Amino acid sequence: MIREKSIIQGNEQLAPGFWKMRLVAPEIAATVKPGQFINVKIAQCKAPLFRRPFTVFRCLDLDKDRPGIEVVYEVVGRGTRMMSAMGKGDELDIIGPLGRGFKRRDDKRVHILVGSGVGLPALFMLGEELSLAAGRGELELVIMLDAKTKERLILEEEFGSLNGKTLVSIHDGAYGYHGYVTEMLRAYIAEEDIAADCAIYACGPELMFKALVPICSQYNIPAQICMERNMGCGIGACLSCVCRVDKKAVMKHRDVRSSHVQFEDAGSSGYALVCCDGPVFNIDEVIFDE
Amino acid sequence: MDNSPNLCVQLAPGHSAGLSLSNPVMIASGIFGYGEEYAQLVEIQKLGAVVCKGTTLAPRRGNPQPRLVETASGLLNSVGLENIGVEALIREEAPKWASWQVPVIVNVAGETIEEYVEVVTRLEGVQGISGIELNISCPNVSAGGAEFGMNPEIAARVTAAVKGASSLPLMVKLSPNVTDIRAIALAVQEAGADAISLINTLKGMAFAVDKGKPRLGNITGGLSGPAIKPVALRMVYEVAEVVRVPVVGCGGIASASDALEFIMCGASAVQVGTANFTDPGIGLTIVKGIEEFMREKKVERLTDLAGLAH
């Protein structure tokens, strides 16, 4: 974890409401792993008060071989609106890399990325890694991109450049598969008969995760999901960004002693911190109905 | 002659061991967890003191989410005293503190007087702990919590009980959600408090119009951050006027100038909370700012600034 004064190299609109910011961040770029995030202080004054967390979209070499990172964000409130007004040369105070990212399931042959809306960027670094392995013939990569409308579909070209099969679902049927990505996924798994040998990595709204649950349990497919929460500190101190987790599943997947998951003496569930036990969780760990 | 100003403060002059700080800037409870989370980003050993997360007898998993809402220059939270429990604190956290230079103060919470007493009894003789902060003001738990801080008699009873069970310096953290905070302050002082810290969060609420429901899982929460500073300052001023034990000011402090306001209004030291989330280095920035102010104004000892307003 490093705190960097980062200079903005570029800030461009990708689609209505979606922006991509490029930052000089050599130290973070050197260590960030797929699924990890940075916490950005946007305002110099006290409004908005908190930092805003963004998953790192990708790392890249900027001019003069300076390592940088990119984040892709949606303008949803005051903080992101202020961000979208910033430009080249402006300075940002960022902390990162933070959180526990994706863990590649090397025991599986088919790796499926399932992303929707502003959840897509969180999957790209993992996609790049898997793409390299797919290029060497070690695995198969399938990428499912989802958006409400065609106008809101982002990063199709970037994901399309990876060594994998790219499928698109648009809810109103204007383009690609007509419907939700989870329906497309269910049909794909059945058609290709890959249930026994695949792993899913997903990022999107919580409703999408909830729709993934029955698919994963029906076919017994392991899935990792990248969760989103409002955060206070982003580093495990304020205990605000919790998600409810199942004790049995947590005990199965992780070393509870080195996690921040808090259980009570009696009880089958507890709270994990999205900022440092996550943002990536195994889907069976998370209890969605709270 | 060394002309660097003296920032030392003694927070428990009436206690045999005392509670001596190298500077007046402490990190408030619930901000730095158990101290370690921020150690990678901040030279925490240079702080005046660190107050750890509110600790209860048994582990608590805390309140349902969402637990946090950002408000106008403020933070509304309802964590609900999620903590690892006193045994895990003694086993896993205190041994690290034993080698630290910065004093660690354990914030103790409970649902009954017996629970408070049991927690401090278990902390007796544990290395690495410099003092107790008695939390009689958490607004986010249904039993105990703030109830102890709302009535002078009950506040005095829990303070006396803990004082009788603990040999550590005892600071009592007061709730602002009361009619007359001076009566509570006087009551805990008479019951044996070595110092008084204030304020804890103000009880508040936020509502999501689009969803038609409260924004916090716990419905209500505690408000902190710059938004509450004027309220905190007024209460510190009022309390410092009537008590003789040291007062520790807390509530919305985000700069050296904020801290100096509290000190001039009667605080011997300050706690910085919410501001750390935005700027983890803010505690040390404030220490430096106070030092610069003293140099500029030719103030030799911090205590010379104390209570200028009175």
Side-chain angles (χ1 to χ4, degrees):
Chain A
M1 179 187 1
I2 298 138
R3 187 175 177 186
E4 284 191 279
K5 288 269 181 225
S6 179
I7 306 291
I8 298 172
Q9 276 281 303
N11 193 19
E12 58 174 301
Q13 192 164 10
L14 297 180
F18 292 96
W19 291 71
K20 183 170 77 177
M21 184 179 272
R22 183 173 289 187
L23 293 156
V24 183
E27 295 194 67
I28 291 173
T31 50
V32 65
K33 302 269 190 317
Q36 286 190 304
F37 66 96
I38 58 170
N39 214 359
V40 180
K41 184 180 170 195
I42 297 165
Q44 296 302 313
C45 58
K46 287 166 186 154
L49 189 61
F50 290 128
R51 288 169 183 268
R52 297 288 189 266
F54 301 97
T55 319
V56 174
F57 165 56
R58 68 173 164 195
C59 299
L60 69 177
D61 268 341
L62 304 172
D63 52 318
K64 292 174 230 143
D65 294 328
R66 276 181 308 171
I69 55 172
E70 284 182 339
V71 292
V72 172
Y73 60 99
E74 185 178 3
V75 174
V76 292
R78 190 164 43 166
T80 41
R81 201 160 51 241
M82 286 172 74
M83 254 174 89
S84 68
M86 293 177 166
K88 193 171 177 174
D90 288 345
E91 196 182 77
L92 273 184
D93 172 348
I94 60 179
I95 297 175
L98 299 169
R100 183 178 171 274
F102 290 103
K103 218 174 148 197
R104 258 174 60 180
R105 288 293 302 247
D106 288 327
D107 54 327
K108 300 289 180 184
R109 184 175 55 87
V110 184
H111 297 249
I112 309 174
L113 306 184
V114 179
S116 178
V118 78
L120 281 165
L123 297 169
F124 192 74
M125 278 186 73
L126 176 68
E128 286 181 311
E129 252 190 52
L130 293 168
S131 173
L132 285 176
R136 294 190 297 261
E138 294 164 12
L139 54 85
E140 283 172 44
L141 174 61
V142 180
I143 301 158
M144 299 194 174
L145 312 176
D146 177 83
K148 229 181 262 177
T149 61
K150 186 168 187 291
E151 292 66 42
R152 290 177 56 85
L153 179 66
I154 52 168
L155 307 175
E156 189 186 9
E157 198 188 314
E158 287 83 348
F159 277 104
S161 71
L162 302 177
N163 297 315
K165 186 192 287 181
T166 305
L167 302 166
V168 176
S169 60
I170 302 289
H171 302 179
D172 63 7
Y175 176 60
Y177 179 89
H178 183 179
Y180 293 113
V181 69
T182 40
E183 295 161 357
M184 179 167 76
L185 173 73
R186 183 187 278 280
Y188 186 84
I189 292 168
E191 268 164 37
E192 302 286 321
D193 193 21
I194 49 172
D197 206 8
C198 74
I200 293 169
Y201 313 88
C203 189
E206 215 148 299
L207 276 174
M208 185 187 95
F209 297 150
K210 278 165 102 167
L212 271 179
V213 171
I215 300 172
C216 294
S217 45
Q218 181 188 339
Y219 293 109
N220 197 23
I221 299 171
Q224 292 169 43
I225 56 175
C226 187
M227 304 274 292
E228 186 183 41
R229 280 289 184 278
N230 289 336
M231 290 180 184
C233 68
I235 65 173
C238 77
L239 314 183
S240 296
C241 61
V242 288
C243 76
R244 187 100 174 248
V245 287
D246 178 73
K247 191 169 184 175
K248 246 192 229 158
V250 168
M251 305 288 265
K252 184 177 98 188
H253 288 295
R254 52 179 96 209
D255 176 9
V256 178
R257 289 178 62 100
S258 61
S259 79
H260 287 68
V261 186
Q262 190 61 57
F263 300 109
E264 290 185 351
D265 287 342
S268 59
S269 72
Y271 287 107
L273 297 182
V274 171
C275 69
C276 47
D277 296 316
V280 177
F281 291 86
N282 294 285
I283 198 164
D284 56 332
E285 291 180 297
V286 179
I287 298 170
F288 291 104
D289 289 313
E290 179 175 290
Chain B
M1 189 186 107
D2 178 16
N3 66 350
S4 54
N6 183 349
L7 272 75
C8 293
V9 286
Q10 174 53 255
L11 286 186
H15 186 273
S16 58
L19 179 54
S20 176
L21 273 52
S22 65
N23 68 68
V25 181
M26 314 162 72
I27 302 300
S29 176
I31 304 296
F32 270 22
Y34 299 97
E36 281 227 309
E37 286 81 357
Y38 277 95
Q40 285 184 63
L41 292 172
V42 188
E43 288 181 273
I44 60 170
Q45 303 303 335
K46 291 187 175 171
L47 289 161
V50 173
V51 187
C52 83
K53 178 74 195 156
T55 301
T56 51
L57 189 55
R60 291 176 68 110
R61 73 176 189 198
N63 284 335
Q65 58 98 15
R67 290 180 176 180
L68 168 140
V69 180
E70 189 178 296
T71 61
S73 293
L75 155 64
L76 196 58
N77 91 82
S78 66
V79 172
L81 281 178
E82 173 177 334
N83 78 96
I84 58 176
V86 69
E87 283 308 318
L89 178 137
I90 293 168
R91 203 174 51 238
E92 290 154 27
E93 308 295 338
K96 300 175 211 160
W97 301 335
S99 62
W100 287 9
Q101 187 189 330
V102 61
V104 176
I105 294 166
V106 176
N107 183 288
V108 173
E111 291 185 1
T112 62
I113 291 182
E114 292 70 33
E115 183 180 352
Y116 281 103
V117 168
E118 185 59 34
V119 175
V120 297
T121 304
R122 295 196 191 187
L123 292 174
E124 273 298 279
V126 175
Q127 295 296 302
I129 301 171
S130 298
I132 302 287
E133 180 175 68
L134 200 58
N135 183 351
I136 55 168
S137 44
C138 178
N140 292 327
V141 290
S142 53
E147 285 165 34
F148 289 102
M150 288 179 172
N151 176 311
E153 258 174 63
I154 302 174
R157 218 179 298 156
V158 65
T159 304
V162 165
K163 186 73 187 167
S166 173
S167 61
L168 288 163
L170 177 65
M171 177 159 77
V172 180
K173 188 166 189 177
L174 304 187
S175 167
N177 305 308
V178 296
T179 312
D180 183 5
I181 198 161
R182 288 168 297 196
I184 316 268
L186 285 169
V188 302
Q189 173 181 266
E190 292 321 307
D194 295 299
I196 294 171
S197 52
L198 71 155
I199 58 175
N200 205 317
T201 54
L202 283 156
K203 204 164 177 178
M205 184 171 169
F207 199 84
V209 173
D210 52 340
K211 292 180 185 147
K213 62 176 195 177
R215 290 172 65 122
L216 288 173
N218 190 47
I219 301 173
T220 62
L223 182 66
S224 63
I228 72 165
K229 200 191 83 182
V231 179
L233 190 65
R234 184 265 297 176
M235 288 188 156
V236 164
Y237 179 81
E238 285 181 352
V239 167
E241 211 164 37
V242 297
V243 300
R244 56 180 187 278
V245 296
V247 170
V248 177
C250 178
I253 296 172
S255 68
S257 158
D258 291 344
L260 285 162
E261 282 187 54
F262 279 82
I263 290 165
M264 290 183 187
C265 285
S268 299
V270 295
Q271 293 182 355
V272 185
T274 306
N276 286 284
F277 294 152
T278 317
D279 180 0
I282 190 67
L284 294 176
T285 306
I286 291 174
V287 174
K288 224 171 123 194
I290 294 174
E291 201 175 336
E292 272 164 25
F293 177 86
M294 291 170 68
R295 227 186 272 276
E296 194 180 307
K297 301 282 181 193
K298 303 200 171 18
V299 179
E300 285 173 24
R301 283 177 306 269
L302 188 75
T303 43
D304 297 340
L305 290 173
L308 282 180
H310 288 288

